[in-house]
């Protein structure tokens, strides 16, 4: 990849050979960058110019050019991002027409009046020297940044210091985020963060929408935001977000960001290695607590405090689990599934920590488990504490899910009852897992299920023999358990009748059928199932069978 080292046109005008140059028009374009010099020797130069070139001419190719063609030339050069057109006015061209000057002003395309005594070879040499100086400065600055960042890493600095150093050296705003846009560190002014927020760069949960910048940078006013991936070997670790509120981020800074991302990758890899070991110990400890193997309460509390946790009762156990991939994606490699899980745990843990850093939260390989303690003021009010914690779970789920951007996977959540005694934690963990499992079967995923709200599904979920459940549903429903369209319609009618307590008029309204049609369907259902309209026990069996069938599907 080539990197252009550029100089603003206004700086080029300061070199010695340009001392007698004046700006005829397009003064608003003096910040256009110059990367090369080109001499115009023929009228059809447009097809041969390159972007950011300073085009100069003695004027001979412009002889005989009428105003309209001159205007077309200026417009074409502007479209090709030429930095400026310099003309030795007075040698072959006596003056530049007023209409041409007006168009150049409108476009912000600089037209320069060069000294008739200027030697183009001297100009070429001095521009080349200036560009070379800039290149040396850029390389020196980039190398200095890289060395400084490496020094910070070796000294044990964190991502916050890395981000701050990059921002200070490049003079731009910096964010370090997870792959899905969760902020890990940042060096943004309040004005920068406000501009990003107003441009919808953050979602409602505060996640930076990195997926929007995956293909191309985003413009904000006259500034620009771009994303540089932080990658180590084959691992996609993070994102480095750069924001210059005043201009497009120069390619020189992009090159520096690429070098900086390599150092950030080193630091993040180190942190992940340490975190993996810590996570294992944390997970093993919490698993022992929730299985009743961790010892007495005093010992557990002391160990938890060493991890920065506090397990205060009453509390609620929460399990969160990624929904399995669709059938067509069953062959997902184990490494990718683990990457999904790690990304999910990182997002979940970060959101939980924002609610309370003391809440125990760990990755159990295929699920994330958290223990939320009730606020001190609600510990004597079970109903209020339960409602508060369930609302807190809803907030956490909303924040983790966000708008589903950033390659996040759908997940399901289960919560336990409020547990008041230390010995009740293992049962609470089982309740949360059961709520998650039954909720997923009933809703198909991406939902939150509370153990107390499971109703009959709680009892159904306690039955381990799925074949027996399936057999029960088929025995009770008979031919109605078939997959045909007619059986499905009749099952829906039966469910509506049970839901309306056999109110024929209401069931007819809900199914948009005539009253007599509903009476006919009831007769047909009783022929298949028995006299359920007069047999409460049969109605109970049918209601349970329908729910079993829904969960099994």
């Amino acid at each position: 990849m080539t990197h252009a080292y550029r100089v603003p046109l206004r700086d080029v005008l300061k070199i010695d050979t340009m001392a007698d140059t004046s700006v005829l028009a397009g003064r608003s374009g003096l910040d256009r960058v110059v990367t090369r010099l080109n001499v115009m020797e023929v009228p059809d130069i447009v097809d041969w110019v390159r972007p950011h070139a300073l085009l100069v001419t003695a004027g001979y190719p412009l002889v005989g050019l009428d105003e309209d063609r001159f205007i077309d030339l200026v417009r074409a050069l502007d479209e090709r991002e030429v930095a400026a057109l310099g003309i030795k006015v007075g040698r072959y061209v006596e003056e530049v027409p007023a209409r041409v000057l007006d168009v150049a002003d409108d476009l912000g395309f600089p037209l320069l009046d060069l000294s008739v005594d200027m030697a183009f070879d001297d100009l070429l040499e001095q521009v080349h020297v200036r560009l070379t100086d800039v290149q040396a400065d850029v390389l020196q600055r980039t190398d200095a940044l890289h060395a400084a960042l490496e020094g910070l890493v070796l000294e044990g600095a964190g991502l916050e210091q890395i981000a701050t150093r990059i921002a200070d050296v490049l003079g731009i705003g910096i964010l370090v985020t997870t792959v899905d846009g969760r902020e890990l560190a940042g060096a943004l002014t309040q004005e920068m963060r406000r501009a990003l927020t107003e441009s919808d760069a953050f979602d409602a949960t505060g996640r930076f929408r990195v997926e929007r910048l995956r293909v191309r940078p985003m413009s904000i006013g006259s500034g620009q935001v771009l994303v540089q991936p932080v990658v180590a070997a084959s691992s996609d670790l993070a994102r480095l977000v750069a924001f210059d509120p005043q201009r497009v981020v120069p390619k020189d800074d992009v090159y520096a960001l690429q070098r900086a991302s390599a150092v950030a990758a080193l630091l993040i890899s180190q942190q992940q290695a340490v975190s993996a070991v810590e996570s294992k110990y944390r997970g093993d400890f919490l698993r022992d607590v929730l299985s009743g193997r961790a010892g007495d309460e005093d010992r557990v509390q002391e160990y938890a405090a060493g991890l920065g946790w506090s397990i205060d009762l009453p509390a609620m156990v929460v399990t969160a689990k990624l929904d399995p991939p669709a059938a067509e994606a069953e062959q997902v490699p184990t490494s990718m599934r683990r990457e999904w899980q790690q990304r999910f745990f990182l997002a979940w843990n970060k959101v939980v920590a924002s609610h309370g850093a003391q809440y125990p939260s760990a990755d159990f390989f295929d699920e994330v488990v958290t223990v939320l303690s009730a606020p001190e003021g609600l510990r004597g009010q079970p109903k209020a504490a339960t409602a508060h914690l369930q609302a807190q779970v809803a907030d956490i789920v909303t924040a983790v899910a966000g708008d589903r951007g950033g390659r996040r996977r759908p997940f399901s959540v289960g919560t336990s009852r409020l547990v008041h005694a230390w010995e009740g934690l293992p049962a609470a963990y089982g309740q949360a897992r059961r709520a998650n499992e039954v909720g997923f079967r009933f809703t198909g995923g991406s939902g939150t299920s509370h153990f107390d709200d499971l109703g009959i599904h709680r009892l159904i979920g306690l039955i381990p023999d799925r074949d027996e459940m399936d057999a029960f549903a088929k025995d009770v429903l008979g031919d109605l358990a078939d997959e045909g369209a007619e059986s499905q319609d009749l099952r829906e009618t039966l469910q509506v009748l049970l839901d309306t307590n056999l109110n024929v008029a209401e069931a007819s309204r809900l199914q948009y059928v005539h009253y007599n049609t509903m009476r006919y369907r009831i007769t047909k259902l009783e022929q298949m199932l028995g006299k359920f309209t007069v047999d409460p026990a049969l109605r109970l069996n049918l209601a349970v069978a329908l729910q079993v069938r829904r969960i099994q599907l």
Side-chain angles (χ1 to χ4, degrees):
M1 179 179 180
T2 59
H3 301 278
Y5 300 97
R6 293 89 54 87
V7 182
L9 177 61
R10 65 174 68 252
D11 287 353
V12 174
L13 294 177
K14 296 176 183 179
I15 64 178
D16 293 343
T17 53
M18 300 287 279
D20 296 327
T21 300
S22 60
V23 181
L24 298 175
R27 187 172 293 275
S28 62
L30 292 182
D31 286 323
R32 293 186 179 215
V33 292
V34 177
T35 62
R36 56 183 60 85
L37 184 71
N38 195 0
V39 179
M40 179 179 179
E41 297 178 336
V42 293
D44 57 345
I45 190 68
V46 171
D47 293 334
W48 309 102
V49 294
R50 298 175 65 183
H52 311 304
L54 171 56
L55 186 62
V56 295
T57 178
Y60 185 75
L62 303 177
V63 174
L65 209 63
D66 60 35
E67 285 190 8
D68 291 336
R69 291 174 61 195
F70 205 151
I71 290 173
D72 291 341
L73 173 64
V74 169
R75 292 188 184 279
L77 295 177
D78 177 66
E79 289 174 0
R80 284 159 177 76
E81 298 184 354
V82 171
L85 173 61
I87 307 169
K88 290 186 177 182
V89 179
R91 185 167 184 185
Y92 295 102
V93 176
E94 292 301 323
E95 63 177 355
V96 179
R99 285 181 56 211
V100 176
L101 297 177
D102 290 341
V103 170
D105 277 328
D106 291 342
L107 296 174
F109 179 76
L111 289 178
L112 309 177
D113 181 4
L114 306 178
S115 169
V116 294
D117 298 325
M118 175 187 290
F120 287 158
D121 57 346
D122 290 341
L123 177 62
L124 177 61
E125 179 182 354
Q126 291 187 18
V127 170
H128 177 72
V129 169
R130 180 68 182 116
L131 292 174
T132 301
D133 289 343
V134 171
Q135 176 177 348
D137 290 344
V138 170
L139 289 175
Q140 183 178 5
R141 183 178 65 160
T142 302
D143 289 341
L145 173 61
H146 190 89
L149 295 181
E150 285 183 337
L152 286 175
V153 172
L154 293 175
E155 292 169 6
L159 281 176
E160 200 72 40
Q161 291 166 283
I162 295 291
T164 300
R165 180 60 62 88
I166 298 172
D168 288 345
V169 172
L170 300 183
I172 57 179
I174 293 292
L175 281 179
V176 183
T177 76
T178 60
V179 173
D180 62 351
R182 305 246 168 230
E183 185 174 337
L184 299 174
L188 295 175
T189 64
Q190 291 184 350
E191 292 75 14
M192 289 178 180
R193 194 174 289 275
R194 185 182 304 112
L196 289 172
T197 301
E198 292 175 352
S199 66
D200 202 31
F202 294 98
D203 71 9
T205 66
R207 182 188 69 87
F208 191 87
R209 303 180 193 269
V210 289
E211 66 277 5
R212 293 188 175 183
L213 284 81
R214 183 169 58 88
V215 177
R216 63 175 62 88
M218 178 174 66
S219 297
I220 299 180
S222 58
Q224 187 186 62
V225 186
L226 56 81
V227 168
Q228 172 64 41
V230 179
V231 181
S234 59
S235 299
D236 195 0
L237 301 175
R239 295 290 181 267
L240 193 60
V241 181
F243 175 38
D244 191 326
Q246 304 298 331
R247 59 176 181 168
V248 171
V249 178
K251 290 185 179 179
D252 313 329
D253 287 355
V254 174
Y255 178 52
L257 288 170
Q258 292 171 346
R259 295 279 299 274
S261 72
V263 179
L266 173 63
L267 176 59
I268 293 172
S269 296
Q270 290 177 343
Q271 291 179 340
Q272 287 187 348
V274 174
S275 178
V277 176
E278 291 181 347
S279 181
K280 182 181 184 307
Y281 281 113
R282 288 170 176 265
D284 289 346
F285 170 67
L286 188 57
R287 195 187 299 272
D288 286 345
V289 171
L290 296 178
S291 62
R293 299 192 302 264
D296 61 74
E297 182 177 354
D298 291 339
R299 177 178 177 277
V300 171
Q301 291 287 25
E302 181 180 354
Y303 196 96
L307 296 175
W309 288 348
S310 177
I311 306 177
D312 299 316
L313 301 181
M316 178 179 289
V317 179
V318 183
T319 66
K321 191 170 185 178
L322 289 175
D323 296 337
E328 63 270 15
E330 285 297 333
Q331 300 304 316
V332 175
T334 302
S335 59
M336 182 173 292
R337 290 175 182 264
R338 189 58 197 154
E339 182 182 329
W340 291 346
Q341 178 68 16
Q342 290 171 343
R343 190 183 308 150
F344 173 56
F345 173 63
L346 183 62
W348 178 274
N349 205 39
K350 186 172 178 62
V351 173
V352 169
S354 69
H355 285 259
Q358 77 282 4
Y359 291 143
S361 189
D363 183 0
F364 282 12
F365 189 76
D366 63 343
E367 67 179 347
V368 177
V369 181
T370 300
V371 180
L372 300 178
S373 298
E376 189 172 352
L378 297 179
R379 291 179 184 175
Q381 307 174 49
K383 289 186 177 180
T386 298
H388 173 85
L389 291 178
Q390 288 182 351
Q392 194 169 36
V393 170
D395 290 342
I396 292 171
V397 170
T398 298
V400 174
D403 58 3
R404 298 294 182 186
R407 296 190 293 170
R408 278 173 292 180
R409 308 285 306 175
F411 61 93
S412 297
V413 175
T415 72
S416 71
R417 287 176 168 173
L418 200 65
V419 55
H420 298 271
W422 193 256
E423 58 272 15
L425 282 172
Y429 175 47
Q431 292 168 1
R433 297 191 70 188
R434 180 63 61 187
N436 199 331
E437 177 186 357
V438 174
F440 174 76
R441 289 182 177 177
F442 189 71
T443 65
S446 299
T448 299
S449 303
H450 305 295
F451 186 76
D452 275 337
D453 296 340
L454 294 181
I456 188 64
H457 303 112
R458 170 185 160 197
L459 297 178
I460 295 173
L462 292 174
I463 302 173
D465 192 337
R466 302 302 170 192
D467 292 337
E468 179 60 30
M469 291 172 59
D470 186 55
F472 168 79
K474 289 181 178 178
D475 288 344
V476 173
L477 296 176
D479 292 341
L480 205 63
D482 295 343
E483 296 298 330
E486 182 180 7
S487 296
Q488 181 177 345
D489 287 343
L490 288 174
R491 283 197 303 272
E492 291 177 359
T493 297
L494 176 60
Q495 185 67 65
V496 171
L497 285 166
L498 295 175
D499 291 343
T500 59
N501 198 26
L502 301 181
N503 186 321
V504 180
E506 179 64 11
S508 301
R509 185 185 67 81
L510 292 175
Q511 289 229 294
Y512 301 101
V513 298
H514 192 274
Y515 183 89
N516 291 334
T517 301
M518 182 58 68
R519 294 299 313 175
Y520 168 76
R521 291 186 179 182
I522 292 174
T523 300
K524 189 169 185 177
L525 284 168
E526 289 195 321
Q527 290 173 351
M528 298 174 67
L529 305 171
K531 298 292 184 179
F532 68 90
T533 56
V534 295
D535 187 344
L538 178 56
R539 286 200 299 275
L540 176 60
N541 286 341
L542 290 171
V544 173
L546 288 173
Q547 295 305 315
V548 167
R549 193 178 186 283
R550 290 181 66 183
I551 291 178
Q552 292 290 76
L553 292 177

